[in-house]
Amino acid sequence: MRDTQVLREALTYAATHGLAVLLPAQDPFLSAGCAHEGAVATRLGLSAIPDSAETTELARLIALARDTGARVHAGPLSSAAGVAMLRQAHRDGVNLSAHTTSHHLHLSEAAIDGFDSRAHVTVSGSFVLEGDAKRMPFGETAAGIAGIETLLSLMAELVARDVCDWPSALARVTVGPARALGLAAGGLSVDAPADVCVFDPRAHWQVEPEQLRSQGHNTPFAQWTLPARVESVRLAGRAFAPGPS
């Protein structure tokens, strides 16, 4: 929402009714590029996205959340500067939470270094696109990847690297998001919906894009061998096929 006055009024209304508001943490004008600003983007001749694309919008959201008292959730964050701003907002008592994505934790613009700028690959975004949307030169292709089926395994990879432990990793994809949005979800308790994922943390699987069950098969993790193979999934008690692993 570009009109800050309208956004402020919306947040004031949301605060009155105890509603959480989810907003992107990217300035749409500064984030029009396709790679993080730096040596890689310059060398490949790609349009760049500076850290200020994130911090400019995040500063606006922090100020409005402080003014209105609304519960605001922003993201995805991908810069150290953005994380520092979030920490300061928490110290100041601002009711603002944020998220990143599993692929932001594993990849940076270095992942495209060495690729021809016409290569059909992107590591930004977190939504699925059909094949035709990705069959363009790198700088023109739409941003987005199939991320649901690799989420758990990428968190498991962080555990394997001692970046975090299992309770912390799982909390960030279950109860953490639920708490940020004020939802009674993300955990196991009596009379709660049986949303359960059973996985083997020691079993590995190889990411084969064509075997992904998502509508789109675009992923920067093709042929990666990842830990934590899913054995079964239940949503509200209903069983679903576990996926390509």
Side-chain angles (χ1 to χ4, degrees):
M1 186 179 294
R2 300 316 310 152
D3 190 318
T4 303
Q5 178 60 32
V6 172
L7 178 56
R8 189 177 190 278
E9 292 174 357
L11 291 177
T12 300
Y13 182 86
T16 301
H17 294 274
L19 301 175
V21 182
L22 283 67
L23 294 165
Q26 294 92 27
D27 180 285
F29 303 104
L30 291 173
S31 60
C34 64
H36 184 263
E37 186 175 70
V40 173
T42 299
R43 184 163 55 254
L44 296 180
L46 299 173
S47 55
I49 305 173
D51 282 353
S52 56
E54 180 172 287
T55 57
T56 298
E57 182 63 13
L58 190 58
R60 184 175 79 130
L61 298 182
I62 290 171
L64 292 178
R66 180 187 293 112
D67 284 353
T68 63
R71 178 193 295 162
V72 176
H73 183 85
L77 297 189
S78 62
S79 70
V83 173
M85 292 174 66
L86 178 64
R87 287 174 177 160
Q88 185 59 52
H90 286 173
R91 286 193 287 267
D92 294 341
V94 179
N95 194 2
L96 182 136
S97 58
H99 68 272
T100 187
T101 69
S102 55
H103 48 279
H104 277 110
L105 296 175
H106 286 269
L107 300 172
S108 70
E109 72 273 17
I112 62 173
D113 197 8
F115 281 85
D116 188 284
S117 62
R118 294 168 293 178
H120 303 153
V121 61
T122 181
V123 298
S124 61
S126 59
F127 56 90
V128 173
L129 296 165
E130 295 185 356
D132 288 346
K134 308 301 291 185
R135 297 188 182 101
M136 298 287 288
F138 187 93
E140 300 173 27
T141 189
I145 74 167
I148 293 295
E149 288 158 291
T150 55
L151 173 61
L152 174 63
S153 291
L154 290 174
M155 296 305 292
E157 184 70 15
L158 295 179
V159 175
R161 297 179 187 177
D162 292 325
V163 175
C164 59
D165 57 19
W166 270 115
S168 177
L170 293 178
R172 279 163 172 74
V173 296
T174 54
V175 294
R179 288 171 182 164
L181 300 179
L183 301 176
L188 296 176
S189 60
V190 177
D191 295 328
D195 298 337
V196 181
C197 176
V198 179
F199 64 95
D200 184 346
R202 294 168 295 184
H204 288 70
W205 63 288
Q206 184 166 305
V207 181
E208 298 290 351
E210 294 307 315
Q211 294 182 19
L212 297 178
R213 295 179 182 272
S214 299
Q215 184 177 6
H217 298 155
N218 49 295
T219 172
F221 302 106
Q223 280 70 60
W224 280 39
T225 298
L226 297 173
R229 186 182 65 209
V230 173
E231 303 293 344
S232 64
V233 176
R234 289 185 177 272
L235 180 62
R238 180 185 174 190
F240 288 84
S245 58

